[in-house]
PDB file of all heavy atoms in Angstrom:
ATOM      1  N   LYS A  10     104.940 102.007  79.641  1.00 96.00           N
ATOM      2  CA  LYS A  10     104.554 101.019  80.650  1.00 96.00           C
ATOM      3  C   LYS A  10     105.498 101.034  81.844  1.00 96.00           C
ATOM      4  O   LYS A  10     105.082 100.764  82.981  1.00 96.00           O
ATOM      5  CB  LYS A  10     104.503  99.621  80.032  1.00 96.00           C
ATOM      6  CG  LYS A  10     103.483  99.483  78.898  1.00 96.00           C
ATOM      7  CD  LYS A  10     102.075  99.783  79.381  1.00 96.00           C
ATOM      8  CE  LYS A  10     101.067  99.608  78.261  1.00 96.00           C
ATOM      9  NZ  LYS A  10      99.675  99.930  78.672  1.00 96.00           N
ATOM     10  N   ILE A  11     106.773 101.342  81.577  1.00 96.00           N
ATOM     11  CA  ILE A  11     107.739 101.419  82.672  1.00 96.00           C
ATOM     12  C   ILE A  11     107.351 102.550  83.619  1.00 96.00           C
ATOM     13  O   ILE A  11     107.293 102.373  84.843  1.00 96.00           O
ATOM     14  CB  ILE A  11     109.168 101.645  82.139  1.00 96.00           C
ATOM     15  CG1 ILE A  11     109.555 100.565  81.115  1.00 96.00           C
ATOM     16  CG2 ILE A  11     110.158 101.686  83.298  1.00 96.00           C
ATOM     17  CD1 ILE A  11     109.565  99.160  81.660  1.00 96.00           C
ATOM     18  N   VAL A  12     107.057 103.697  83.053  1.00 97.00           N
ATOM     19  CA  VAL A  12     106.695 104.860  83.868  1.00 97.00           C
ATOM     20  C   VAL A  12     105.384 104.609  84.619  1.00 97.00           C
ATOM     21  O   VAL A  12     105.250 104.940  85.800  1.00 97.00           O
ATOM     22  CB  VAL A  12     106.585 106.127  82.996  1.00 97.00           C
ATOM     23  CG1 VAL A  12     106.064 107.304  83.811  1.00 97.00           C
ATOM     24  CG2 VAL A  12     107.943 106.472  82.385  1.00 97.00           C
ATOM     25  N   ALA A  13     104.414 104.002  83.945  1.00 96.00           N
ATOM     26  CA  ALA A  13     103.133 103.706  84.592  1.00 96.00           C
ATOM     27  C   ALA A  13     103.324 102.777  85.790  1.00 96.00           C
ATOM     28  O   ALA A  13     102.719 102.973  86.857  1.00 96.00           O
ATOM     29  CB  ALA A  13     102.169 103.079  83.588  1.00 96.00           C
ATOM     30  N   GLY A  14     104.184 101.776  85.628  1.00 96.00           N
ATOM     31  CA  GLY A  14     104.461 100.864  86.735  1.00 96.00           C
ATOM     32  C   GLY A  14     105.184 101.542  87.872  1.00 96.00           C
ATOM     33  O   GLY A  14     104.920 101.253  89.049  1.00 96.00           O
ATOM     34  N   VAL A  15     106.079 102.454  87.543  1.00 97.00           N
ATOM     35  CA  VAL A  15     106.802 103.201  88.569  1.00 97.00           C
ATOM     36  C   VAL A  15     105.851 104.086  89.370  1.00 97.00           C
ATOM     37  O   VAL A  15     105.922 104.145  90.599  1.00 97.00           O
ATOM     38  CB  VAL A  15     107.931 104.042  87.935  1.00 97.00           C
ATOM     39  CG1 VAL A  15     108.509 105.020  88.956  1.00 97.00           C
ATOM     40  CG2 VAL A  15     109.028 103.139  87.394  1.00 97.00           C
ATOM     41  N   ILE A  16     104.949 104.764  88.673  1.00 97.00           N
ATOM     42  CA  ILE A  16     103.980 105.620  89.365  1.00 97.00           C
ATOM     43  C   ILE A  16     103.145 104.801  90.344  1.00 97.00           C
ATOM     44  O   ILE A  16     102.941 105.182  91.509  1.00 97.00           O
ATOM     45  CB  ILE A  16     103.059 106.338  88.353  1.00 97.00           C
ATOM     46  CG1 ILE A  16     103.857 107.357  87.534  1.00 97.00           C
ATOM     47  CG2 ILE A  16     101.894 107.029  89.067  1.00 97.00           C
ATOM     48  CD1 ILE A  16     103.080 107.985  86.395  1.00 97.00           C
ATOM     49  N   LYS A  17     102.666 103.661  89.889  1.00 96.00           N
ATOM     50  CA  LYS A  17     101.842 102.796  90.736  1.00 96.00           C
ATOM     51  C   LYS A  17     102.613 102.344  91.973  1.00 96.00           C
ATOM     52  O   LYS A  17     102.086 102.351  93.097  1.00 96.00           O
ATOM     53  CB  LYS A  17     101.375 101.574  89.936  1.00 96.00           C
ATOM     54  CG  LYS A  17     100.490 100.618  90.727  1.00 96.00           C
ATOM     55  CD  LYS A  17     100.037  99.454  89.855  1.00 96.00           C
ATOM     56  CE  LYS A  17      99.167  98.488  90.654  1.00 96.00           C
ATOM     57  NZ  LYS A  17      98.704  97.344  89.806  1.00 96.00           N
ATOM     58  N   THR A  18     103.868 101.975  91.788  1.00 97.00           N
ATOM     59  CA  THR A  18     104.677 101.488  92.901  1.00 97.00           C
ATOM     60  C   THR A  18     105.073 102.625  93.837  1.00 97.00           C
ATOM     61  O   THR A  18     105.081 102.458  95.060  1.00 97.00           O
ATOM     62  CB  THR A  18     105.949 100.794  92.386  1.00 97.00           C
ATOM     63  OG1 THR A  18     105.635  99.963  91.276  1.00 97.00           O
ATOM     64  CG2 THR A  18     106.573  99.951  93.479  1.00 97.00           C
ATOM     65  N   ALA A  19     105.402 103.780  93.260  1.00 96.00           N
ATOM     66  CA  ALA A  19     105.852 104.917  94.058  1.00 96.00           C
ATOM     67  C   ALA A  19     104.772 105.401  95.024  1.00 96.00           C
ATOM     68  O   ALA A  19     105.068 105.883  96.123  1.00 96.00           O
ATOM     69  CB  ALA A  19     106.289 106.059  93.150  1.00 96.00           C
ATOM     70  N   LYS A  20     103.525 105.271  94.630  1.00 96.00           N
ATOM     71  CA  LYS A  20     102.422 105.667  95.516  1.00 96.00           C
ATOM     72  C   LYS A  20     102.335 104.762  96.728  1.00 96.00           C
ATOM     73  O   LYS A  20     101.929 105.192  97.816  1.00 96.00           O
ATOM     74  CB  LYS A  20     101.101 105.627  94.743  1.00 96.00           C
ATOM     75  CG  LYS A  20     100.941 106.724  93.712  1.00 96.00           C
ATOM     76  CD  LYS A  20      99.599 106.580  92.996  1.00 96.00           C
ATOM     77  CE  LYS A  20      99.384 107.677  91.980  1.00 96.00           C
ATOM     78  NZ  LYS A  20      98.086 107.517  91.266  1.00 96.00           N
ATOM     79  N   GLU A  21     102.697 103.506  96.545  1.00 95.00           N
ATOM     80  CA  GLU A  21     102.617 102.527  97.639  1.00 95.00           C
ATOM     81  C   GLU A  21     103.888 102.519  98.485  1.00 95.00           C
ATOM     82  O   GLU A  21     103.815 102.494  99.719  1.00 95.00           O
ATOM     83  CB  GLU A  21     102.369 101.138  97.058  1.00 95.00           C
ATOM     84  CG  GLU A  21     102.225 100.056  98.110  1.00 95.00           C
ATOM     85  CD  GLU A  21     101.877  98.710  97.493  1.00 95.00           C
ATOM     86  OE1 GLU A  21     101.185  98.693  96.448  1.00 95.00           O
ATOM     87  OE2 GLU A  21     102.301  97.681  98.050  1.00 95.00           O
ATOM     88  N   LEU A  22     105.045 102.546  97.815  1.00 96.00           N
ATOM     89  CA  LEU A  22     106.324 102.501  98.530  1.00 96.00           C
ATOM     90  C   LEU A  22     106.881 103.921  98.633  1.00 96.00           C
ATOM     91  O   LEU A  22     107.818 104.297  97.934  1.00 96.00           O
ATOM     92  CB  LEU A  22     107.301 101.581  97.801  1.00 96.00           C
ATOM     93  CG  LEU A  22     106.854 100.134  97.593  1.00 96.00           C
ATOM     94  CD1 LEU A  22     107.932  99.339  96.862  1.00 96.00           C
ATOM     95  CD2 LEU A  22     106.517  99.465  98.921  1.00 96.00           C
ATOM     96  N   THR A  23     106.304 104.691  99.505  1.00 95.00           N
ATOM     97  CA  THR A  23     106.673 106.108  99.614  1.00 95.00           C
ATOM     98  C   THR A  23     108.059 106.325 100.212  1.00 95.00           C
ATOM     99  O   THR A  23     108.619 107.415 100.093  1.00 95.00           O
ATOM    100  CB  THR A  23     105.633 106.859 100.457  1.00 95.00           C
ATOM    101  OG1 THR A  23     105.513 106.219 101.742  1.00 95.00           O
ATOM    102  CG2 THR A  23     104.266 106.853  99.773  1.00 95.00           C
ATOM    103  N   ASP A  24     108.614 105.284 100.843  1.00 94.00           N
ATOM    104  CA  ASP A  24     109.947 105.403 101.430  1.00 94.00           C
ATOM    105  C   ASP A  24     111.029 104.883 100.494  1.00 94.00           C
ATOM    106  O   ASP A  24     112.173 104.692 100.903  1.00 94.00           O
ATOM    107  CB  ASP A  24     110.009 104.653 102.757  1.00 94.00           C
ATOM    108  CG  ASP A  24     109.682 103.168 102.603  1.00 94.00           C
ATOM    109  OD1 ASP A  24     109.116 102.800 101.567  1.00 94.00           O
ATOM    110  OD2 ASP A  24     109.984 102.399 103.539  1.00 94.00           O
ATOM    111  N   THR A  25     110.675 104.662  99.225  1.00 96.00           N
ATOM    112  CA  THR A  25     111.625 104.198  98.214  1.00 96.00           C
ATOM    113  C   THR A  25     111.763 105.246  97.118  1.00 96.00           C
ATOM    114  O   THR A  25     110.766 105.814  96.673  1.00 96.00           O
ATOM    115  CB  THR A  25     111.160 102.865  97.593  1.00 96.00           C
ATOM    116  OG1 THR A  25     111.116 101.868  98.616  1.00 96.00           O
ATOM    117  CG2 THR A  25     112.109 102.408  96.499  1.00 96.00           C
ATOM    118  N   GLU A  26     112.996 105.511  96.702  1.00 97.00           N
ATOM    119  CA  GLU A  26     113.245 106.483  95.632  1.00 97.00           C
ATOM    120  C   GLU A  26     113.388 105.750  94.295  1.00 97.00           C
ATOM    121  O   GLU A  26     114.146 104.796  94.184  1.00 97.00           O
ATOM    122  CB  GLU A  26     114.521 107.275  95.917  1.00 97.00           C
ATOM    123  CG  GLU A  26     114.860 108.294  94.830  1.00 97.00           C
ATOM    124  CD  GLU A  26     116.114 109.073  95.147  1.00 97.00           C
ATOM    125  OE1 GLU A  26     116.014 110.059  95.897  1.00 97.00           O
ATOM    126  OE2 GLU A  26     117.203 108.673  94.660  1.00 97.00           O
ATOM    127  N   PHE A  27     112.650 106.206  93.294  1.00 98.00           N
ATOM    128  CA  PHE A  27     112.672 105.600  91.966  1.00 98.00           C
ATOM    129  C   PHE A  27     113.359 106.560  90.998  1.00 98.00           C
ATOM    130  O   PHE A  27     112.849 107.649  90.730  1.00 98.00           O
ATOM    131  CB  PHE A  27     111.248 105.286  91.508  1.00 98.00           C
ATOM    132  CG  PHE A  27     110.531 104.334  92.430  1.00 98.00           C
ATOM    133  CD1 PHE A  27     109.787 104.801  93.497  1.00 98.00           C
ATOM    134  CD2 PHE A  27     110.628 102.960  92.245  1.00 98.00           C
ATOM    135  CE1 PHE A  27     109.135 103.933  94.360  1.00 98.00           C
ATOM    136  CE2 PHE A  27     109.992 102.076  93.106  1.00 98.00           C
ATOM    137  CZ  PHE A  27     109.242 102.566  94.168  1.00 98.00           C
ATOM    138  N   GLN A  28     114.501 106.142  90.480  1.00 98.00           N
ATOM    139  CA  GLN A  28     115.297 106.971  89.576  1.00 98.00           C
ATOM    140  C   GLN A  28     115.081 106.499  88.145  1.00 98.00           C
ATOM    141  O   GLN A  28     115.491 105.395  87.783  1.00 98.00           O
ATOM    142  CB  GLN A  28     116.781 106.878  89.943  1.00 98.00           C
ATOM    143  CG  GLN A  28     117.098 107.252  91.377  1.00 98.00           C
ATOM    144  CD  GLN A  28     118.528 106.934  91.769  1.00 98.00           C
ATOM    145  OE1 GLN A  28     119.313 106.435  90.949  1.00 98.00           O
ATOM    146  NE2 GLN A  28     118.883 107.200  93.019  1.00 98.00           N
ATOM    147  N   LEU A  29     114.421 107.318  87.337  1.00 98.00           N
ATOM    148  CA  LEU A  29     114.119 106.972  85.949  1.00 98.00           C
ATOM    149  C   LEU A  29     115.199 107.528  85.024  1.00 98.00           C
ATOM    150  O   LEU A  29     115.371 108.744  84.909  1.00 98.00           O
ATOM    151  CB  LEU A  29     112.759 107.543  85.551  1.00 98.00           C
ATOM    152  CG  LEU A  29     111.531 106.829  86.127  1.00 98.00           C
ATOM    153  CD1 LEU A  29     110.289 107.686  85.952  1.00 98.00           C
ATOM    154  CD2 LEU A  29     111.339 105.471  85.462  1.00 98.00           C
ATOM    155  N   TYR A  30     115.944 106.630  84.364  1.00 98.00           N
ATOM    156  CA  TYR A  30     117.011 107.014  83.455  1.00 98.00           C
ATOM    157  C   TYR A  30     116.539 106.859  82.015  1.00 98.00           C
ATOM    158  O   TYR A  30     116.027 105.800  81.636  1.00 98.00           O
ATOM    159  CB  TYR A  30     118.245 106.144  83.688  1.00 98.00           C
ATOM    160  CG  TYR A  30     118.922 106.405  85.015  1.00 98.00           C
ATOM    161  CD1 TYR A  30     118.428 105.831  86.194  1.00 98.00           C
ATOM    162  CD2 TYR A  30     120.047 107.217  85.104  1.00 98.00           C
ATOM    163  CE1 TYR A  30     119.039 106.076  87.418  1.00 98.00           C
ATOM    164  CE2 TYR A  30     120.669 107.464  86.319  1.00 98.00           C
ATOM    165  CZ  TYR A  30     120.152 106.894  87.471  1.00 98.00           C
ATOM    166  OH  TYR A  30     120.757 107.136  88.688  1.00 98.00           O
ATOM    167  N   GLY A  31     116.711 107.927  81.212  1.00 97.00           N
ATOM    168  CA  GLY A  31     116.311 107.856  79.818  1.00 97.00           C
ATOM    169  C   GLY A  31     116.028 109.211  79.223  1.00 97.00           C
ATOM    170  O   GLY A  31     116.399 110.252  79.791  1.00 97.00           O
ATOM    171  N   ASP A  32     115.366 109.225  78.089  1.00 97.00           N
ATOM    172  CA  ASP A  32     114.992 110.461  77.396  1.00 97.00           C
ATOM    173  C   ASP A  32     113.976 111.214  78.257  1.00 97.00           C
ATOM    174  O   ASP A  32     112.829 110.793  78.404  1.00 97.00           O
ATOM    175  CB  ASP A  32     114.377 110.104  76.039  1.00 97.00           C
ATOM    176  CG  ASP A  32     114.058 111.328  75.196  1.00 97.00           C
ATOM    177  OD1 ASP A  32     113.675 112.366  75.768  1.00 97.00           O
ATOM    178  OD2 ASP A  32     114.164 111.237  73.963  1.00 97.00           O
ATOM    179  N   GLU A  33     114.411 112.326  78.823  1.00 96.00           N
ATOM    180  CA  GLU A  33     113.563 113.046  79.783  1.00 96.00           C
ATOM    181  C   GLU A  33     112.235 113.482  79.180  1.00 96.00           C
ATOM    182  O   GLU A  33     111.181 113.358  79.811  1.00 96.00           O
ATOM    183  CB  GLU A  33     114.300 114.264  80.348  1.00 96.00           C
ATOM    184  CG  GLU A  33     113.500 114.986  81.422  1.00 96.00           C
ATOM    185  CD  GLU A  33     114.304 116.048  82.142  1.00 96.00           C
ATOM    186  OE1 GLU A  33     115.464 116.311  81.747  1.00 96.00           O
ATOM    187  OE2 GLU A  33     113.759 116.632  83.113  1.00 96.00           O
ATOM    188  N   ALA A  34     112.261 113.980  77.958  1.00 96.00           N
ATOM    189  CA  ALA A  34     111.031 114.445  77.318  1.00 96.00           C
ATOM    190  C   ALA A  34     110.050 113.286  77.140  1.00 96.00           C
ATOM    191  O   ALA A  34     108.847 113.427  77.406  1.00 96.00           O
ATOM    192  CB  ALA A  34     111.348 115.086  75.970  1.00 96.00           C
ATOM    193  N   ALA A  35     110.556 112.135  76.691  1.00 97.00           N
ATOM    194  CA  ALA A  35     109.695 110.969  76.491  1.00 97.00           C
ATOM    195  C   ALA A  35     109.143 110.464  77.818  1.00 97.00           C
ATOM    196  O   ALA A  35     107.969 110.088  77.919  1.00 97.00           O
ATOM    197  CB  ALA A  35     110.481 109.859  75.787  1.00 97.00           C
ATOM    198  N   ILE A  36     109.981 110.448  78.839  1.00 97.00           N
ATOM    199  CA  ILE A  36     109.544 109.982  80.161  1.00 97.00           C
ATOM    200  C   ILE A  36     108.456 110.891  80.727  1.00 97.00           C
ATOM    201  O   ILE A  36     107.426 110.422  81.219  1.00 97.00           O
ATOM    202  CB  ILE A  36     110.748 109.915  81.130  1.00 97.00           C
ATOM    203  CG1 ILE A  36     111.706 108.797  80.712  1.00 97.00           C
ATOM    204  CG2 ILE A  36     110.276 109.684  82.574  1.00 97.00           C
ATOM    205  CD1 ILE A  36     113.018 108.794  81.473  1.00 97.00           C
ATOM    206  N   ARG A  37     108.668 112.191  80.636  1.00 96.00           N
ATOM    207  CA  ARG A  37     107.713 113.137  81.231  1.00 96.00           C
ATOM    208  C   ARG A  37     106.382 113.160  80.475  1.00 96.00           C
ATOM    209  O   ARG A  37     105.363 113.596  81.020  1.00 96.00           O
ATOM    210  CB  ARG A  37     108.330 114.541  81.299  1.00 96.00           C
ATOM    211  CG  ARG A  37     109.478 114.614  82.299  1.00 96.00           C
ATOM    212  CD  ARG A  37     109.806 116.023  82.725  1.00 96.00           C
ATOM    213  NE  ARG A  37     110.891 116.049  83.706  1.00 96.00           N
ATOM    214  CZ  ARG A  37     110.752 115.799  84.999  1.00 96.00           C
ATOM    215  NH1 ARG A  37     109.548 115.519  85.484  1.00 96.00           N
ATOM    216  NH2 ARG A  37     111.792 115.836  85.809  1.00 96.00           N
ATOM    217  N   THR A  38     106.377 112.673  79.251  1.00 96.00           N
ATOM    218  CA  THR A  38     105.125 112.554  78.508  1.00 96.00           C
ATOM    219  C   THR A  38     104.157 111.630  79.243  1.00 96.00           C
ATOM    220  O   THR A  38     102.939 111.847  79.240  1.00 96.00           O
ATOM    221  CB  THR A  38     105.384 111.997  77.095  1.00 96.00           C
ATOM    222  OG1 THR A  38     106.228 112.904  76.389  1.00 96.00           O
ATOM    223  CG2 THR A  38     104.080 111.809  76.324  1.00 96.00           C
ATOM    224  N   TYR A  39     104.715 110.603  79.879  1.00 96.00           N
ATOM    225  CA  TYR A  39     103.894 109.607  80.578  1.00 96.00           C
ATOM    226  C   TYR A  39     103.925 109.773  82.100  1.00 96.00           C
ATOM    227  O   TYR A  39     103.196 109.075  82.804  1.00 96.00           O
ATOM    228  CB  TYR A  39     104.373 108.201  80.214  1.00 96.00           C
ATOM    229  CG  TYR A  39     104.319 107.949  78.728  1.00 96.00           C
ATOM    230  CD1 TYR A  39     105.478 107.949  77.953  1.00 96.00           C
ATOM    231  CD2 TYR A  39     103.097 107.743  78.079  1.00 96.00           C
ATOM    232  CE1 TYR A  39     105.425 107.735  76.583  1.00 96.00           C
ATOM    233  CE2 TYR A  39     103.035 107.534  76.713  1.00 96.00           C
ATOM    234  CZ  TYR A  39     104.204 107.527  75.973  1.00 96.00           C
ATOM    235  OH  TYR A  39     104.141 107.325  74.615  1.00 96.00           O
ATOM    236  N   LEU A  40     104.753 110.672  82.576  1.00 94.00           N
ATOM    237  CA  LEU A  40     104.820 110.922  84.017  1.00 94.00           C
ATOM    238  C   LEU A  40     103.699 111.886  84.372  1.00 94.00           C
ATOM    239  O   LEU A  40     103.905 113.091  84.547  1.00 94.00           O
ATOM    240  CB  LEU A  40     106.193 111.487  84.390  1.00 94.00           C
ATOM    241  CG  LEU A  40     106.556 111.518  85.873  1.00 94.00           C
ATOM    242  CD1 LEU A  40     106.518 110.122  86.476  1.00 94.00           C
ATOM    243  CD2 LEU A  40     107.943 112.130  86.056  1.00 94.00           C
ATOM    244  N   THR A  41     102.505 111.338  84.479  1.00 89.00           N
ATOM    245  CA  THR A  41     101.292 112.144  84.639  1.00 89.00           C
ATOM    246  C   THR A  41     101.122 112.729  86.034  1.00 89.00           C
ATOM    247  O   THR A  41     100.290 113.603  86.243  1.00 89.00           O
ATOM    248  CB  THR A  41     100.053 111.284  84.317  1.00 89.00           C
ATOM    249  OG1 THR A  41     100.068 110.106  85.144  1.00 89.00           O
ATOM    250  CG2 THR A  41     100.067 110.869  82.861  1.00 89.00           C
ATOM    251  N   GLU A  42     101.907 112.242  86.984  1.00 87.00           N
ATOM    252  CA  GLU A  42     101.821 112.752  88.355  1.00 87.00           C
ATOM    253  C   GLU A  42     103.208 113.082  88.871  1.00 87.00           C
ATOM    254  O   GLU A  42     104.159 112.359  88.619  1.00 87.00           O
ATOM    255  CB  GLU A  42     101.157 111.716  89.278  1.00 87.00           C
ATOM    256  CG  GLU A  42      99.747 111.336  88.861  1.00 87.00           C
ATOM    257  CD  GLU A  42      99.130 110.333  89.828  1.00 87.00           C
ATOM    258  OE1 GLU A  42      99.194 110.583  91.046  1.00 87.00           O
ATOM    259  OE2 GLU A  42      98.611 109.307  89.365  1.00 87.00           O
ATOM    260  N   GLU A  43     103.308 114.202  89.589  1.00 88.00           N
ATOM    261  CA  GLU A  43     104.571 114.593  90.190  1.00 88.00           C
ATOM    262  C   GLU A  43     104.632 114.016  91.603  1.00 88.00           C
ATOM    263  O   GLU A  43     103.899 114.435  92.491  1.00 88.00           O
ATOM    264  CB  GLU A  43     104.702 116.121  90.231  1.00 88.00           C
ATOM    265  CG  GLU A  43     104.850 116.778  88.863  1.00 88.00           C
ATOM    266  CD  GLU A  43     106.186 116.432  88.207  1.00 88.00           C
ATOM    267  OE1 GLU A  43     107.158 116.141  88.939  1.00 88.00           O
ATOM    268  OE2 GLU A  43     106.254 116.440  86.969  1.00 88.00           O
ATOM    269  N   LEU A  44     105.496 113.025  91.784  1.00 95.00           N
ATOM    270  CA  LEU A  44     105.656 112.390  93.079  1.00 95.00           C
ATOM    271  C   LEU A  44     107.061 112.664  93.593  1.00 95.00           C
ATOM    272  O   LEU A  44     108.033 112.580  92.842  1.00 95.00           O
ATOM    273  CB  LEU A  44     105.413 110.884  92.981  1.00 95.00           C
ATOM    274  CG  LEU A  44     104.002 110.468  92.513  1.00 95.00           C
ATOM    275  CD1 LEU A  44     103.942 108.960  92.283  1.00 95.00           C
ATOM    276  CD2 LEU A  44     102.960 110.882  93.547  1.00 95.00           C
ATOM    277  N   ALA A  45     107.160 112.960  94.878  1.00 95.00           N
ATOM    278  CA  ALA A  45     108.436 113.361  95.460  1.00 95.00           C
ATOM    279  C   ALA A  45     109.499 112.270  95.381  1.00 95.00           C
ATOM    280  O   ALA A  45     110.701 112.577  95.360  1.00 95.00           O
ATOM    281  CB  ALA A  45     108.230 113.772  96.919  1.00 95.00           C
ATOM    282  N   ASN A  46     109.081 111.018  95.339  1.00 96.00           N
ATOM    283  CA  ASN A  46     110.054 109.920  95.333  1.00 96.00           C
ATOM    284  C   ASN A  46     110.363 109.390  93.934  1.00 96.00           C
ATOM    285  O   ASN A  46     110.922 108.308  93.786  1.00 96.00           O
ATOM    286  CB  ASN A  46     109.596 108.784  96.247  1.00 96.00           C
ATOM    287  CG  ASN A  46     108.229 108.230  95.868  1.00 96.00           C
ATOM    288  OD1 ASN A  46     107.416 108.911  95.257  1.00 96.00           O
ATOM    289  ND2 ASN A  46     107.972 106.992  96.236  1.00 96.00           N
ATOM    290  N   ILE A  47     110.011 110.166  92.893  1.00 97.00           N
ATOM    291  CA  ILE A  47     110.387 109.810  91.516  1.00 97.00           C
ATOM    292  C   ILE A  47     111.312 110.897  90.966  1.00 97.00           C
ATOM    293  O   ILE A  47     110.975 112.091  90.988  1.00 97.00           O
ATOM    294  CB  ILE A  47     109.158 109.678  90.597  1.00 97.00           C
ATOM    295  CG1 ILE A  47     108.269 108.512  91.039  1.00 97.00           C
ATOM    296  CG2 ILE A  47     109.603 109.462  89.151  1.00 97.00           C
ATOM    297  CD1 ILE A  47     107.033 108.325  90.187  1.00 97.00           C
ATOM    298  N   LYS A  48     112.469 110.487  90.477  1.00 97.00           N
ATOM    299  CA  LYS A  48     113.422 111.409  89.873  1.00 97.00           C
ATOM    300  C   LYS A  48     113.696 110.998  88.431  1.00 97.00           C
ATOM    301  O   LYS A  48     113.716 109.807  88.124  1.00 97.00           O
ATOM    302  CB  LYS A  48     114.729 111.433  90.665  1.00 97.00           C
ATOM    303  CG  LYS A  48     114.597 112.035  92.063  1.00 97.00           C
ATOM    304  CD  LYS A  48     115.967 112.149  92.734  1.00 97.00           C
ATOM    305  CE  LYS A  48     115.847 112.826  94.086  1.00 97.00           C
ATOM    306  NZ  LYS A  48     117.167 112.964  94.752  1.00 97.00           N
TER     307      LYS A  48
END
């Protein structure tokens, strides 16, 4: 749910960088879209 909320926000706030800290494999499972402002 954290990743889903970040994706939704990142599409709207394109001038904001969202840094996701955690288990990379688990995060990328739900990171269904590659957005430039999500790390």
Side-chain angles (χ1 to χ4, degrees):
K10 299 300 182 182
I11 305 299
V12 174
V15 169
I16 292 173
K17 181 178 179 180
T18 317
K20 289 179 179 179
E21 182 176 328
L22 302 180
T23 56
D24 59 343
T25 298
E26 179 179 277
F27 300 90
Q28 304 171 1
L29 286 166
Y30 291 81
D32 185 325
E33 184 171 6
I36 291 171
R37 292 199 179 280
T38 298
Y39 302 104
L40 193 59
T41 55
E42 300 181 49
E43 292 292 334
L44 299 173
N46 58 335
I47 295 180
K48 293 186 176 181

